[in-house]
Amino acid sequence: MTGEAEAVGPPAAEYDEYGFVVPAGALGREIVRYKQQFQPKAERRVTRWERFRRADPSLSNRRRLKRLVRKGIPDSFRKEIWAHCLGSQRLRDANPNKFESLLREPLSDETLSQIELDLTRTFPNNKLYKYEDGVAKLRRVLRAFAVHNVRVNYCQSLNFIAAVLLLFMDEELAFWTLAQVVSSEEGAKGLHIDGYYVEGMDQLRADLRALERIVQRKFPNAYASLRREGVELEWVCQEWFHTLFSTVLPIQTTLRVWDCLFLEGHKILFRVALAIFKENELRISKFQSLEEVMVSMREISSHQVDHNSLLKAAFKGIGRLKRAQIRREQAYGERMVAEENAAAQARRERHNQAHPPPPAKPQLPALDNPGHGEAGGSGEESPVGAAVREAARRLESVIDSCYDSILGDGDDDVDVSPVDGEPPAARLPGSIPALSPDSVFSYLGVSVSSMLQPSNSSDATRSSVNVHRGDNALATSPAK
C-alpha cells in the first residue's frame, strides 16, 4: 500500500545548487539544459580566476578584474570578490563588534512587525528559508540594518537582497554588504541607492523616468506597444530595480547581473533592463492587450535563462550608453519627480482647505482644589469649592453632549437654523469660540448660585439645562 502511494504521489522537489526549487515543466527543463551546455565555459572560467588570484592577490589590476567579472564570477570566489568590490570586507574589519551591538539596540514595533511579515514571504521556494535557522539569519541581518541605516530603516525588497547575500556569506558580512549596496560608507564603492528605499522613493521614480526616455529612444516600437495598451514603463520595471532583479530573473542570471553591478555600479541596472528589451523587442512590439503585456513581461524576465546572451546584449547589443548620458536622463527624471511631488502637495492642500478637520472640543481649566485656603494650606474643601467642582463636572458632560449633537459623527449635515435666544455663531462647527469658564456658565444659562442652593428634600431638582439644536433638545437629568 505504501509503495502504491509513493508511486502515484507528487515527485520530490528538485533543488538547484543554490537551494531553489527547479521549476516544473518547460522552464525547468530549459534551466537544466542550459546549465549542462554552459558547464565547459564555467570550468574554463574557474581556471582563469584561479590563475588571476595567484598573480594578483590584492586585485589591483582593475582592467583585468573587470574583464573577468563580466564573464562571471565562479561561486567559490563570489563571497570574496563581492566583498572586495563593495568594500564590505574592509568595513567589517574596521568595525569588529558593530554587528552584535546593533542587534542589541531596540526597534519600533512597526518595524519589527514588518520584518516578521516579510520573512515568511522571502523565497519560500528556497530550502534555506524553509527552516528557522535560515529565517533567523535573515531576521538578524534585517534588524541590524534597520538600526544602522536610520534614513532607510527597513523597506520591502531589502529582504530579497539580503536573502541572496546569505547564500554566499555569513550574517555579519551579509549585513555590511547590504549596507554598502544601499548606501555606501566605503569610499566610492557601493551603489548609493538609498533613495530607492525611503518614503516616496524619489530616486527610484527618477531612475525609472530616465529608463523610460532611453527605452523610447532605443526601442521605439516596443515602447509604442506598451503605451498603446496604456502601460506605464514603471509598472513593469519598478520591481526590476527595487529588488535588483533578484525576484524576476532566474537565480543564475541574477548572480551574473550582481557580479557586474557590484563592481561597476548601478548603471548596470539600466544596461540589463535595456538588454531585456533588446532580446525581446519583437515580441513586445506585438502585444495586443493590457493583460498580455503584464503576463508576458513577467514571463519574459523569468525565462532569461541564457545569462551569457543577456550580458552580451547589455554590453554590446544595446549600443553606446555612457554614464554622462544616464546622468542627464536622471536629472530629467529628478525634475519630473519634483514636479509630481509639488502637484501632489498642492492637491493635498486644496483638499485640506475644502475639508477642514472638525474643531477640538474646548477644555475647561482644571480647578486646583477651589475653596481651599491660601496656597500651601491644608484642610477640607469648602462647600463653595465643592459646588463649583460639581458644576464644572456636570457642565463638561453637557458640553460633550452639545458638541456631539452639533457635529454628529462627522458625516451629518449641521442644522444651522436660528433658534430663539441662541447665538448662531456658537452652533457652527467652523466658528465655535473658545469658551472660558464664565462664558460657559453664561452660554448655558446656569448660575453658580443656583447650584449652591440647598435642596429641601432628597428628590429636589437642583438644576436643569436644555441645549437646543434645531428641534432636538438635550436635557441633563435632574440630580437626585
Side-chain angles (χ1 to χ4, degrees):
M1 191 65 125
T2 304
E4 292 178 4
E6 291 175 352
V8 299
E14 181 181 353
Y15 295 93
D16 63 21
E17 63 269 36
Y18 306 109
F20 288 93
V21 175
V22 176
L27 178 57
R29 292 192 295 271
E30 184 180 358
I31 290 173
V32 172
R33 180 193 58 78
Y34 183 77
K35 179 183 176 182
Q36 294 171 346
Q37 175 187 327
F38 189 75
Q39 189 60 31
K41 287 184 179 180
E43 292 173 355
R44 290 196 298 270
R45 289 174 182 179
V46 170
T47 302
R48 292 193 189 104
W49 271 96
E50 290 173 345
R51 192 161 53 239
F52 173 63
R53 292 296 291 114
R54 288 194 298 269
D56 187 7
S58 63
L59 304 174
S60 58
N61 188 338
R62 182 175 173 85
R63 183 175 181 180
R64 175 65 173 161
L65 176 64
K66 182 177 178 180
R67 188 160 58 247
L68 285 173
V69 166
R70 286 190 174 187
K71 294 287 186 178
I73 303 173
D75 289 340
S76 56
F77 287 97
R78 274 203 168 100
K79 171 183 174 181
E80 174 192 1
I81 303 302
W82 283 0
H84 169 80
C85 291
L86 289 168
S88 51
Q89 183 62 56
R90 188 177 302 177
L91 278 175
R92 177 181 184 169
D93 294 342
N95 301 275
N97 301 313
K98 184 70 175 290
F99 178 67
E100 292 299 331
S101 68
L102 290 171
L103 292 175
R104 292 191 290 270
E105 295 293 323
L107 279 171
S108 69
D109 291 341
E110 181 182 4
T111 299
L112 291 173
S113 63
Q114 186 60 61
I115 289 174
E116 290 301 315
L117 185 63
D118 288 345
L119 290 174
T120 61
R121 302 169 174 171
T122 306
F123 296 132
N125 60 334
N126 187 288
K127 60 183 176 182
L128 176 62
Y129 302 109
K130 287 181 178 289
Y131 303 102
E132 179 54 33
D133 181 57
V135 172
K137 291 178 180 179
L138 181 58
R139 177 186 293 114
R140 287 191 287 270
V141 170
L142 295 177
R143 287 188 177 186
F145 179 87
V147 174
H148 175 71
N149 194 316
V150 176
R151 183 185 181 213
V152 173
N153 188 258
Y154 173 74
C155 178
Q156 289 176 327
S157 292
L158 295 176
N159 51 315
F160 294 106
I161 299 171
V164 174
L165 294 174
L166 284 168
L167 298 179
F168 298 92
M169 301 175 171
D170 60 76
E171 297 168 41
E172 186 175 4
L173 187 57
F175 156 71
W176 284 114
T177 303
L178 179 64
Q180 283 294 98
V181 165
V182 175
S183 182
S184 177
E185 300 176 27
E186 174 60 27
K189 298 184 176 184
L191 304 188
H192 305 275
I193 55 172
D194 49 335
Y196 280 20
Y197 306 103
V198 298
E199 185 177 0
M201 300 180 182
D202 287 0
Q203 186 182 359
L204 175 61
R205 292 161 55 206
D207 280 358
L208 292 172
R209 296 290 187 282
L211 176 64
E212 181 177 19
R213 297 249 294 186
I214 300 172
V215 169
Q216 183 178 10
R217 185 164 55 251
K218 287 184 174 291
F219 311 110
N221 293 334
Y223 179 77
S225 176
L226 297 180
R227 298 302 298 130
R228 183 175 61 247
E229 304 306 328
V231 175
E232 298 288 346
L233 192 76
E234 64 182 302
W235 299 355
V236 174
C237 300
Q238 179 172 329
E239 185 180 356
W240 296 4
F241 279 26
H242 207 223
T243 67
L244 310 184
F245 293 100
S246 63
T247 61
V248 294
L249 296 176
I251 182 61
Q252 296 83 355
T253 307
T254 296
L255 298 177
R256 286 290 306 275
V257 170
W258 282 22
D259 292 345
C260 302
L261 181 66
F262 293 167
L263 176 65
E264 301 185 52
H266 97 294
K267 73 171 186 178
I268 298 299
L269 296 177
F270 288 87
R271 284 193 169 276
V272 172
L274 294 170
I276 293 174
F277 278 94
K278 173 66 176 177
E279 292 279 277
N280 301 276
E281 183 178 11
L282 182 60
R283 180 179 176 184
I284 295 171
S285 299
K286 295 180 178 180
F287 287 154
Q288 297 296 318
S289 68
L290 172 63
E291 292 76 16
E292 184 183 8
V293 172
M294 302 311 293
V295 172
S296 297
M297 289 303 295
R298 185 77 185 185
E299 182 181 286
I300 282 171
S301 61
S302 66
H303 281 71
Q304 295 294 149
V305 174
D306 189 343
H307 44 78
N308 227 35
S309 293
L310 183 66
L311 269 295
K312 284 182 179 178
F315 294 115
K316 297 180 180 179
I318 65 171
R320 291 171 62 87
L321 186 67
K322 297 293 187 181
R323 288 183 187 272
Q325 180 185 351
I326 294 175
R327 187 67 198 103
R328 283 195 300 272
E329 299 299 350
Q330 287 175 318
Y332 165 81
E334 289 164 2
R335 291 194 298 272
M336 293 294 293
V337 169
E339 291 175 5
E340 291 170 2
N341 290 345
Q345 178 62 28
R347 287 194 299 271
R348 284 193 294 270
E349 291 175 356
R350 288 195 299 270
H351 179 273
N352 291 339
Q353 290 173 359
H355 304 87
K361 298 178 183 179
Q363 298 294 319
L364 289 175
L367 299 176
D368 189 12
N369 211 13
H372 279 209
E374 295 181 2
S378 60
E380 296 297 326
E381 189 174 38
S382 70
V384 172
V388 171
R389 184 178 297 281
E390 174 62 14
R393 184 191 66 76
R394 291 169 56 192
L395 287 172
E396 188 171 24
S397 175
V398 171
I399 291 171
D400 285 344
S401 299
C402 176
Y403 266 74
D404 289 343
S405 179
I406 293 173
L407 299 179
D409 59 4
D411 296 325
D412 296 335
D413 293 331
V414 177
D415 179 3
V416 295
S417 56
V419 177
D420 293 341
E422 181 181 359
R427 300 188 302 108
L428 294 176
S431 59
I432 295 178
L435 300 179
S436 65
D438 290 341
S439 64
V440 169
F441 279 83
S442 174
Y443 173 62
L444 294 175
V446 179
S447 66
V448 175
S449 61
S450 67
M451 304 288 290
L452 298 176
Q453 292 175 0
S455 61
N456 295 323
S457 64
S458 59
D459 60 349
T461 300
R462 293 178 183 172
S463 70
S464 179
V465 181
N466 290 308
V467 181
H468 296 279
R469 184 173 78 98
D471 296 330
N472 299 321
L474 292 175
T476 60
S477 299
K480 299 288 186 178

